[in-house]
Amino acid sequence: MDELPIGRRVAYWRSRRKMSQQVFADRLGKSKSWVDKVERGVRRLDKFSVVYEIADILELDVQLLLGKDPERRSDALTCIDQIEVEEIRAALERYDSMSAYFDAAPYPPPLADLRKAVNHAWLTYQYGRYGLLTRALPKLLREAQAADAGHDGDQAREAAHLLGQVYQIASSVLRKLGECDLAWLAADRSMAVAQRADDPLLAGIATTRVCNALVAMGRPRPALELNVRIANRLAPGGGNDVTPERLSVYGMLLLQGAMAAARTGDSATVDDLLGGAHEAATLLGGDQNHYWTSFGPTNLQLHRAAAAVELGDGGRAVETHHGIPEPAFNALLPERRAHHLLDLARGYAQIGDVAHAGEMLLRGDRLAPSEIRCRPIAHEVMSDVLRRTRGAPPSPIAELAEHMGVGV
């Protein structure tokens, strides 16, 4: 295998995964012809980002495709490097729609292809594969911007809708990785595009991205005010259709408002907003994923625990966790579960139980490694665990800390 050309290795592992060329091409966002040319060696694989995406889809260590470590990365799980940050920044700084206002835009990407790519990006985010996502984002941003600039008539609104989603994806992953200024820029763009898409619910969920970025930048008060103001506009009743989609977006606005209130130490507002979200979750009747919110009764409990941690009440966070039905928790997507385990690690650390805090980090790492290894807040928790552990830390904790680059 090591002596085979990379295209032949792709073909071999695709076959081992019982995946047709068409299915593989769809997951990769390429054409079947492109895959065939790669596998026959007619087309070269000379971009690291594409090689890593192939490895992820085939569930392989990238070294099995390359035969050696790529120069830009030390292992298959990296978070984001400065080159990628600048590529994303450059993509966010494009103004295709303004250029198209003065000059005819080139032929835009087909919306069907873009729709598949956007859905794949959402799933990549919700499965916690942040490194893969950040490598794909520059191209996806450029294509979505070109589609938004180039389509008109009935397709213009869908193109704007898809671009708004891409901005939201970018904002969410950039915030997790500590690039707060870029996260705010992408979220702000998503709100403007949502208005052109003429979708109040898309604008509502875009509001939560703006507010999350503001909180990450140390601005929880304006985040709280904006979340509550838009939630009131989308509240069920008062002539609004009570649909699962509206309930989900409304509920998430309240949950993110509660998180902003917790950051300010306003426990009364936290309880009030969580109570409203509880009513929405009850009306919804179960855990769903409308507008990629993962909103429902279980996600509500995760936010109860997270808000308790922000308020410094780790004991309450742990108690809340123990009240979550295990089947419901396990049914959530990996990003949600790993995020909660990170919050729980913070809660255990607050009550002085560093052994359980470390265990939560390990569990989160097994679910979605990027959520633990890539987030600055996780590094802070690991540093705290190492500092407060008597003697040498357990071997699994020491190994994870080494992967994270966190020293004792």
Side-chain angles (χ1 to χ4, degrees), residues 322-397:
H322 288 312
I324 300 173
E326 189 171 348
F329 179 71
N330 290 337
L332 294 175
L333 289 161
E335 180 273 335
R336 283 284 76 219
R337 286 183 283 159
H339 186 132
H340 173 68
L341 292 170
L342 174 54
D343 287 332
L344 204 56
R346 296 171 63 200
Y348 274 118
Q350 287 175 351
I351 61 177
D353 190 344
V354 293
H356 273 100
E359 176 59 29
M360 294 305 103
L361 291 176
L362 290 171
R363 284 181 58 188
D365 184 67
R366 288 192 289 269
L367 269 174
S370 293
E371 182 70 19
I372 304 302
R373 302 186 190 189
C374 297
R375 297 194 61 190
I377 186 65
H379 287 221
E380 293 178 18
V381 177
M382 176 58 83
S383 295
D384 190 33
V385 168
L386 295 176
R387 186 173 61 253
R388 295 164 65 184
T389 298
R390 295 182 179 180
S395 177
I397 293 293

Side-chain angles (χ1 to χ4, degrees), residues 235-314:
N240 291 329
D241 292 332
V242 183
T243 63
E245 293 81 6
R246 181 178 290 274
L247 287 169
S248 297
V249 173
Y250 169 71
M252 281 307 298
L253 281 160
L254 295 180
L255 290 183
Q256 297 307 325
M259 296 306 300
R263 187 65 68 91
T264 69
D266 187 349
S267 59
T269 299
V270 170
D271 290 342
D272 182 51
L273 293 174
L274 289 176
H278 173 76
E279 292 177 5
T282 301
L283 285 172
L284 187 62
D287 298 315
Q288 301 181 30
N289 197 22
H290 298 293
Y291 279 78
W292 306 95
T293 57
S294 293
F295 181 72
T298 308
N299 202 1
L300 167 66
Q301 292 300 93
L302 268 55
H303 280 79
R304 283 192 190 279
V309 170
E310 290 296 339
L311 290 167
D313 192 349

